[in-house]
Amino acid sequence: MECLKLIASAEFPEKRIGYLGLMLLLDERQEVLMLVTNSLKQDLNHANQYIVGLALCALGNICSAEMARDLAPEVERLLQFRDPNTRKKAALCAIRIIKKVPDLAENFINPAAALLKEKHHGVLITGVQLCTDLCKVSPEALEHFRKRCTEGLVRTLKDVVNSPYAPEYDIAGITDPFLHIRLVRLLRVLGQGDADASDLMNDILAQVATKTESNKNAGNAILYECVETIMSIEDNGGLRVLAINILGRFLSNRDNNIRYVALNMLMKAITVDSQAVQRHRATILECVKDSDASIRKRALELVYLLVNESNVKPLTKELIEYLEVSDQEFKGDLTAKICSIIAKFSPEKIWYIDQMLKVLSEAGNFVKDEAWHALIVVISNASDLHGYSVRALYRAFQTSAEQETLVRVAVWCIGEYGDMLINNVGLLDIENPITVTGSDAVDIVELAIKRHTSDLTTKSMSLIALLKLSSRFPSCSERIRDIIIQNRGSLVLELQQRSIEFNSVIEKHQNIRSALVERMPVLDEATFIGRRAGSSPAMVSTSNSASLNLPNGVAKPPAAPLVDLLDLSSDDVPAPSSSGGGFLQDLLGGVDLSPGLNQTAISGTNEAPRTGTDILLDLLSIETPPAQRSSITDILSSSQGDKSPVASLGEISSLPSLSTRATSAGATSMMDLLDGFAPNPPMPGNGPVYPPIVAFESSSLRITFDFSKAPGNPRATAILATFTNLSQNIYTDFIFQAAVPKFLQLHLDPASSNTLPANGNGSITQNLRVTNSQHGKKSLVMRMRIAYKFNNEDILEEGQINNFPRGL
């Protein structure tokens, strides 16, 4: 209010302080500004031009939409004021007004066009900026300026370019570079999409591009704007080549900023004239090796855009050579781009394999999973290159065994094509034969499995390769078995399970081994590419809102949720901790317990879980003491549903490990391998009758449980949960989660829906199965959590059920 009092004063000093306070202390959102509108109107009409300037300055800084509508006529009139400083301030104020109220733009078209004829540079530069902003908010203004002002602007720019030395405007020997840049920007707006306007400005743009000196920053700024204008207006091949050559000169500049903006502009230019950009390929490649990280990354992106079928080989060669000496922090980005280039533009499969092996040998630890998966798919499809590939990988392993992904691909190929390795099958003219024995091949895999740096994926793939080699090289079978059984006591459940099962295959099941470990069928390259692109992912649903990727595009019929939870062959399973912890995480196969699954089956665990299983402790509200780990037999005996246990021999990561083309007799034998643990038979629906209970009730939700038992199996109880919405609002993304103590086993089927109608007009049902190992001694108890969305808000309700009927 003190500012308003000062503004209302008649004296200039008071007004100046008042307007200064107004601009610093308030903004357009303050309601008190409504009180100052009348004072502003009076000052805009004041006889003193300095007071008019104060009002224009304040209006240009804090003008709101309402003030703009009220005071636009005064600002429009002041654009023709006698004093140039006032006209300049009025133009700046008009820019703010049309941004706040675009509908007022048409009122300023003619006054703005008149400003373009000004001789005073201060007024001219603001007039040019006003015209530029008018073109952006008003198509009518754009068309008006194109037809009536383009020629005048070209003349003005020519006068500025050719003007003699003027000390008041000179910067580094260039007359008013700021006006240069504003004029070129306005010409860009006018020429974009209009061939006639573009023709008018071609000559002056060529003159600016050739006459402007590039040894000063002011000159480089003008050249950059000129290049951007040339690339934006309608087609003129000669001018564009000139512009791209200017950018090429920028790339040789010592200033990092200039090189960076040149790379940015070349990325835009490549879509317009790729041939002209290709001529600067060598300079761009040098920028990839620059010491500045941002320039390296931008240059690498530009090189990626430059690659085509004709230059892929020399460019890839250059990038791989640089990969050998590049900084560690840059290897990840560089490797990803090289792998993408090889996959996208590879002219032939042998070249693809050779280049990928070079990348794996130099920076295998930086190669992403999908890249080495793709290499295996390509090798699998190139039947005439199987021998060449396995020999090349064998040689690469000798020199680069520290590269994890190289080891994985080598182990996979040796397991599949080990016989070709020792027999020199498919020898090409370009390679020399090598002498490798079956024992040498086993040495490679043994080294991979015993390296302390090998992770779970590598060790698991190595075990599978050993099992396959035991069939390929019968003479090494005993040695292979000795290596396999060394992992029987592994603290990592995955390795322990594989070791025990594979040892059983070698010892007891010679009759099915050859069928079980025969070569993988050719992996479908098209399906794999589709999965990578996200166009045809192979999915299997485990609930209404969660799904798991399946390896190699192989469709698998939906299985019972508990079976999926216990399935360790999914490619979504994370590596369990080598310390032996996270036992529940092993059992659950890495399935996320956070809301997002429509149902979650959580059983008791023998030791404190970690990470994703923290929710279990939260649900049970108890501390679980450490205890002895369950044996593999206990784990396997908990499998339910009709899924064959052969799934537990599945592939780690997303590559299938064993051929699944075993005969039905072989499948039966495999059941024998797992000590005859057949799937549990389904429970009949009839049995003793128990009264239903209201398990949970709040003001918005009711849950009822109906119970049934199968005759002859008193420990197992089937529960039908019915969820009813008591409110007037529809609940979406409905999720029910439950947890039970260790002496109970719980399994949840998928819910009938994830949308719960309002006012009890319908319900959601879900089947639960509980097995009570302490039947007759302890009653059922359960904690539950219900999550749903209402008006895009996540709602969470929890409760404990203690009122189960006796005898369950």
Side-chain angles (χ1 to χ4, degrees):
M1 295 308 296
E2 291 300 322
C3 289
L4 295 182
K5 291 177 184 176
L6 289 169
I7 290 169
S9 170
E11 301 299 322
F12 176 80
E14 285 84 351
K15 281 186 179 289
R16 183 171 61 179
I17 295 298
Y19 277 123
L20 179 62
L22 187 74
M23 290 184 283
L24 292 176
L25 302 176
L26 301 177
D27 60 34
E28 60 181 271
R29 294 169 295 181
Q30 306 296 328
E31 293 183 3
V32 73
L33 283 183
M34 296 172 61
L35 303 175
V36 83
T37 304
N38 195 46
S39 296
L40 278 169
K41 188 161 189 158
Q42 290 177 3
D43 288 344
L44 289 173
N45 291 295
H46 204 280
N48 186 334
Q49 68 186 51
Y50 299 107
I51 291 177
V52 174
L54 286 176
L56 285 171
C57 192
L59 188 60
N61 275 283
I62 60 169
C63 170
S64 63
E66 291 76 12
M67 293 170 70
R69 289 190 181 91
D70 292 340
L71 301 175
E74 278 69 26
V75 175
E76 182 184 344
R77 177 180 57 78
L78 290 171
L79 286 172
Q80 297 155 25
F81 196 75
R82 65 183 184 278
D83 178 61
N85 282 325
T86 304
R87 294 201 300 276
K88 180 177 71 173
K89 291 182 179 181
L92 292 171
C93 192
I95 292 172
R96 169 104 181 183
I97 288 173
I98 62 172
K99 285 181 178 179
K100 290 295 174 186
V101 189
D103 294 343
L104 296 175
E106 60 182 22
N107 299 341
F108 292 94
I109 293 175
N110 291 322
L115 293 178
L116 298 179
K117 300 173 184 176
E118 288 278 351
K119 298 300 180 186
H120 188 284
H121 281 209
V123 180
L124 180 57
I125 198 170
T126 53
V128 169
Q129 187 60 43
L130 175 57
C131 291
T132 304
D133 286 311
L134 281 169
C135 291
K136 292 177 180 177
V137 300
S138 169
E140 293 81 6
L142 176 60
E143 201 58 37
H144 180 274
F145 292 135
R146 269 181 183 160
K147 290 180 179 178
R148 303 194 181 184
C149 301
T150 304
E151 290 186 22
L153 285 167
V154 169
R155 282 196 301 272
T156 303
L157 180 56
K158 189 176 292 186
D159 292 341
V160 174
V161 171
N162 298 319
S163 63
Y165 173 73
E168 65 269 31
Y169 301 126
D170 184 85
I171 297 178
I174 297 173
T175 302
D176 204 342
F178 298 103
L179 182 57
H180 262 93
I181 289 170
R182 297 288 182 187
L183 286 167
V184 171
R185 282 183 182 172
L186 180 53
L187 288 176
R188 183 195 317 158
V189 174
L190 299 178
Q192 202 164 9
D194 189 284
D196 294 334
S198 299
D199 287 340
L200 290 173
M201 61 187 74
N202 282 339
D203 291 342
I204 186 60
L205 290 175
Q207 189 176 345
V208 171
T210 52
K211 287 189 66 175
T212 307
E213 296 181 14
S214 59
N215 56 351
K216 300 288 185 181
N217 208 41
N220 286 326
I222 294 171
L223 285 173
Y224 176 78
E225 290 295 337
C226 183
V227 168
E228 190 161 3
T229 300
I230 291 171
M231 302 308 296
S232 300
I233 64 175
E234 290 309 293
D235 186 44
N236 185 304
L239 265 184
R240 283 183 176 164
V241 171
L242 175 62
I244 291 171
N245 289 340
I246 291 171
L247 295 177
R249 292 207 310 271
F250 280 2
L251 291 179
S252 304
N253 199 295
R254 288 177 298 176
D255 191 306
N256 285 351
N257 293 324
I258 293 175
R259 291 210 303 281
Y260 187 81
V261 297
L263 289 168
N264 266 341
M265 184 60 67
L266 284 169
M267 290 184 72
K268 299 176 185 176
I270 198 169
T271 59
V272 179
D273 192 346
S274 61
Q275 283 303 112
V277 181
Q278 289 282 0
R279 285 196 281 271
H280 301 280
R281 195 171 68 207
T283 312
I284 296 167
L285 270 172
E286 286 304 310
C287 290
V288 175
K289 305 170 187 177
D290 197 272
S291 59
D292 187 278
S294 57
I295 290 177
R296 282 202 308 263
K297 288 189 176 183
R298 187 62 71 195
L300 182 59
E301 290 171 7
L302 181 54
V303 168
Y304 182 75
L305 295 175
L306 283 173
V307 177
N308 54 40
E309 289 79 1
S310 61
N311 63 21
V312 62
K313 289 187 176 181
L315 276 177
T316 304
K317 181 174 180 292
E318 290 270 0
L319 291 175
I320 291 177
E321 286 176 358
Y322 176 58
L323 182 62
E324 299 174 16
V325 296
S326 61
D327 298 336
Q328 290 295 311
E329 63 268 16
F330 189 51
K331 280 186 186 288
D333 290 334
L334 187 55
T335 301
K337 290 295 184 187
I338 294 173
C339 291
S340 182
I341 288 169
I342 294 170
K344 189 174 182 182
F345 297 103
S346 169
E348 52 193 355
K349 287 187 176 178
I350 188 170
W351 183 85
Y352 176 96
I353 293 168
D354 286 342
Q355 303 312 308
M356 283 301 299
L357 288 188
K358 289 178 184 176
V359 174
L360 291 177
S361 299
E362 292 297 336
N365 293 331
F366 297 92
V367 174
K368 294 182 179 178
D369 285 350
E370 56 265 25
W372 65 269
H373 292 175
L375 175 59
I376 288 180
V377 172
V378 170
I379 293 174
S380 169
N381 279 269
S383 56
D384 55 331
L385 297 175
H386 286 169
Y388 173 79
S389 301
V390 72
R391 284 188 293 275
L393 284 160
Y394 179 83
R395 292 189 192 96
F397 187 96
Q398 309 288 337
T399 57
S400 305
E402 73 283 355
Q403 304 295 343
E404 194 75 19
T405 52
L406 174 67
V407 173
R408 292 177 189 172
V409 178
V411 163
W412 189 90
C413 285
I414 290 171
E416 290 295 322
Y417 314 120
D419 51 338
M420 292 185 170
L421 174 64
I422 65 172
N423 296 323
N424 278 320
V425 175
L427 196 67
L428 303 182
D429 297 336
I430 59 174
E431 58 175 330
N432 297 318
I434 57 174
T435 303
V436 182
T437 64
S439 180
D440 293 335
V442 174
D443 286 343
I444 291 287
V445 185
E446 183 180 13
L447 179 62
I449 203 171
K450 289 185 176 179
R451 284 170 61 245
H452 70 280
T453 55
S454 293
D455 62 8
L456 174 62
T457 301
T458 305
K459 291 182 178 180
S460 300
M461 293 178 71
S462 300
L463 282 173
I464 294 163
L466 286 171
L467 179 62
K468 294 197 170 193
L469 291 179
S470 70
S471 178
R472 311 270 195 274
F473 310 141
S475 60
C476 299
S477 183
E478 194 60 32
R479 180 189 169 198
I480 289 172
R481 193 180 74 83
D482 291 340
I483 299 171
I484 288 176
I485 62 176
Q486 290 173 14
N487 286 279
R488 285 191 306 184
S490 173
L491 294 177
V492 180
L493 177 63
E494 178 72 17
L495 298 180
Q496 186 187 113
Q497 178 179 349
R498 285 173 187 252
S499 177
I500 292 171
E501 292 174 349
F502 294 174
N503 180 50
S504 183
V505 171
I506 295 172
E507 273 192 338
K508 303 177 184 177
H509 301 280
Q510 301 285 346
N511 57 326
I512 68 164
R513 183 172 60 175
S514 59
L516 186 66
V517 300
E518 67 182 15
R519 272 195 197 123
M520 286 293 305
V522 174
L523 305 174
D524 187 352
E525 202 166 359
T527 303
F528 180 81
I529 292 170
R531 288 183 65 205
R532 287 185 68 191
S535 58
S536 58
M539 310 290 279
V540 58
S541 177
T542 59
S543 71
N544 289 357
S545 58
S547 55
L548 297 175
N549 285 321
L550 286 178
N552 302 318
V554 178
K556 180 172 72 172
L562 181 60
V563 177
D564 276 353
L565 287 173
L566 291 172
D567 181 7
L568 299 177
S569 66
S570 164
D571 62 353
D572 281 350
V573 179
S577 168
S578 59
S579 66
F583 184 56
L584 181 69
Q585 191 72 15
D586 291 343
L587 278 177
L588 295 179
V591 174
D592 185 9
L593 297 181
S594 60
L597 287 175
N598 212 27
Q599 38 76 25
T600 305
I602 306 175
S603 301
T605 178
N606 289 341
E607 68 181 54
R610 299 178 307 193
T611 62
T613 59
D614 290 346
I615 188 171
L616 177 71
L617 297 180
D618 185 33
L619 283 170
L620 291 174
S621 298
I622 57 173
E623 292 185 2
T624 310
Q628 296 294 323
R629 293 175 60 94
S630 297
S631 68
I632 297 297
T633 305
D634 291 336
I635 297 167
L636 292 173
S637 66
S638 67
S639 293
Q640 297 186 31
D642 56 359
K643 185 173 180 179
S644 170
V646 75
S648 61
L649 293 174
E651 163 64 1
I652 192 73
S653 189
S654 66
L655 296 172
S657 58
L658 297 171
S659 172
T660 57
R661 295 186 290 171
T663 61
S664 59
T668 305
S669 301
M670 185 56 63
M671 293 298 300
D672 189 36
L673 152 71
L674 296 176
D675 299 331
F677 285 106
N680 293 339
M683 288 191 300
N686 55 356
V689 177
Y690 295 88
I693 64 168
V694 176
F696 175 85
E697 188 166 13
S698 66
S699 59
S700 57
L701 184 67
R702 181 170 63 239
I703 305 174
T704 58
F705 281 0
D706 292 274
F707 307 96
S708 61
K709 274 186 178 291
N713 190 3
R715 294 186 176 189
T717 304
I719 303 174
L720 176 65
T722 305
F723 308 90
T724 306
N725 183 355
L726 305 178
S727 74
Q728 299 179 355
N729 306 299
I730 297 175
Y731 297 157
T732 58
D733 295 345
F734 189 89
I735 301 167
F736 173 72
Q737 296 174 315
V740 294
K742 289 190 298 181
F743 68 89
L744 298 175
Q745 287 184 343
L746 172 63
H747 171 73
L748 287 80
D749 287 340
S752 61
S753 173
N754 63 355
T755 301
L756 194 55
N759 298 320
N761 296 326
S763 59
I764 295 176
T765 59
Q766 189 165 1
N767 289 311
L768 295 73
R769 292 195 295 279
V770 182
T771 302
N772 186 353
S773 62
Q774 301 289 325
H775 182 260
K777 299 178 183 178
K778 293 186 179 180
S779 300
L780 298 188
V781 63
M782 183 184 298
R783 286 188 64 82
M784 61 183 180
R785 175 177 291 177
I786 307 102
Y788 52 88
K789 283 189 175 180
F790 160 57
N791 285 343
N792 289 325
E793 282 188 22
D794 290 322
I795 309 296
L796 193 67
E797 299 190 48
E798 295 181 341
Q800 181 160 328
I801 309 171
N802 297 313
N803 60 333
F804 285 96
R806 298 178 68 86
L808 296 180

